[in-house]
Amino acid sequence: NAGVTQTPKFQVLKTGQSMTLQCAQDMNHEYMSWYRQDPGMGLRLIHYSVGAGITDQGEVPNGYNVSRSTTEDFPLRLLSAAPSQTSVYFCASRARAGGNQPQHFGDGTRLSIL
Amino acid sequence: RKEVEQDPGPFNVPEGATVAFNCTYSNSASQSFFWYRQDCRKEPKLLMSVYSSGNEDGRFTAQLNRASQYISLLIRDSKLSDSATYLCVVTPYGSGNTGKLIFGQGTTLQVKP
């Protein structure tokens, strides 16, 4: 009963380093998304995907890349980490984009950029 | 103006109290509405969807007022375990193909013994 799995749970990077946050879901959901959560800002959408091979930008995409080669996986890549990217990152999935289906979140990745 | 606005609180209430939160949204054509709950340093979890006719789930009642563009969450007989941050979530009009959800910043509830 895994649901949405994110790795790692914690990460510290130096400015300029790159890394990939992993996200996998085992519910055969079409829709997946990445959010960042900062104090006083709520969750903000970074990128999303409505199905394998299809991705699009959300509200705050700069500095991040995504790909969706399979239905299950939706990795988020930080190209050159900056202190402004220090945040908590959540991956989420829904059965499909529209409608009232609930969105399932992963446990989050706490990322610090020094 | 933010698309979804909530009073961040915190709301400090004694056990057994009734507490209500409001959330306002700016896009009058918004389509779907939800309340999520987020415990400290945990992921958000769906509490309930909000329907035009209002809906109830145990001690929780959600209502939608499209004319005034706000949704509310009422918690009766508060429990210590209700202490959390409650996130108001809205699906903007025309986002059916994007699945985009707009989150408010959350309202923090602290229930005291």
Side-chain angles (χ1 to χ4, degrees):
Chain A
N1 191 22
V4 180
T5 303
Q6 285 183 240
T7 55
K9 295 195 184 312
F10 303 94
Q11 185 70 50
V12 179
L13 293 177
K14 293 181 180 178
T15 297
Q17 287 185 312
S18 63
M19 79 160 293
T20 299
L21 308 187
Q22 302 291 345
C23 176
Q25 52 90 11
D26 61 359
M27 297 171 283
N28 201 32
H29 284 176
E30 292 180 354
Y31 181 84
M32 297 185 74
S33 54
W34 276 101
Y35 294 87
R36 61 178 289 174
Q37 187 173 33
D38 302 292
M41 300 291 290
L43 282 100
R44 293 182 292 169
L45 182 65
I46 305 172
H47 285 285
Y48 66 93
S49 168
V50 299
I54 306 169
T55 64
D56 208 342
Q57 297 180 350
E59 187 181 352
V60 287
N62 292 342
Y64 308 95
N65 274 356
V66 292
S67 59
R68 185 94 180 269
S69 56
T70 67
T71 299
E72 294 78 19
D73 300 298
F74 191 45
L76 177 73
R77 280 181 288 277
L78 278 71
L79 308 173
S80 177
S84 61
Q85 293 178 303
T86 294
S87 188
V88 180
Y89 291 85
F90 288 103
C91 178
S93 74
R94 301 171 75 182
R96 56 185 186 275
N100 267 10
Q101 302 87 14
Q103 182 143 266
H104 301 266
F105 286 85
D107 292 343
T109 296
R110 283 154 184 80
L111 182 63
S112 293
I113 316 295
L114 304 179
Chain B
R1 182 184 174 188
K2 293 180 181 177
E3 289 190 68
V4 178
E5 294 203 67
Q6 296 181 250
D7 180 349
F11 285 60
N12 295 302
V13 303
E15 273 188 290
T18 295
V19 61
F21 310 134
N22 282 344
C23 162
T24 59
Y25 58 93
S26 60
N27 188 336
S28 61
S30 295
Q31 292 183 305
S32 303
F33 309 88
F34 309 89
W35 284 102
Y36 277 70
R37 170 192 169 128
Q38 186 173 26
D39 293 294
C40 186
R41 301 181 68 81
K42 299 285 190 180
E43 75 277 17
K45 293 184 179 179
L46 179 67
L47 180 65
M48 57 198 305
S49 300
V50 186
Y51 303 114
S52 297
S53 56
N55 48 298
E56 188 174 305
D57 183 2
R59 298 180 293 107
F60 298 84
T61 301
Q63 292 194 316
L64 167 64
N65 185 319
R66 284 193 181 273
S68 300
Q69 294 178 213
Y70 76 83
I71 67 173
S72 63
L73 177 68
L74 181 77
I75 305 175
R76 292 182 297 278
D77 189 22
S78 300
K79 312 291 185 189
L80 295 176
S81 58
D82 294 334
S83 297
T85 296
Y86 291 84
L87 304 172
C88 172
V89 185
V90 173
T91 301
Y93 176 77
S95 64
N97 290 331
T98 70
K100 183 178 181 181
L101 300 178
I102 306 295
F103 286 79
Q105 69 176 53
T107 297
T108 298
L109 171 65
Q110 295 176 350
V111 182
K112 307 289 188 182

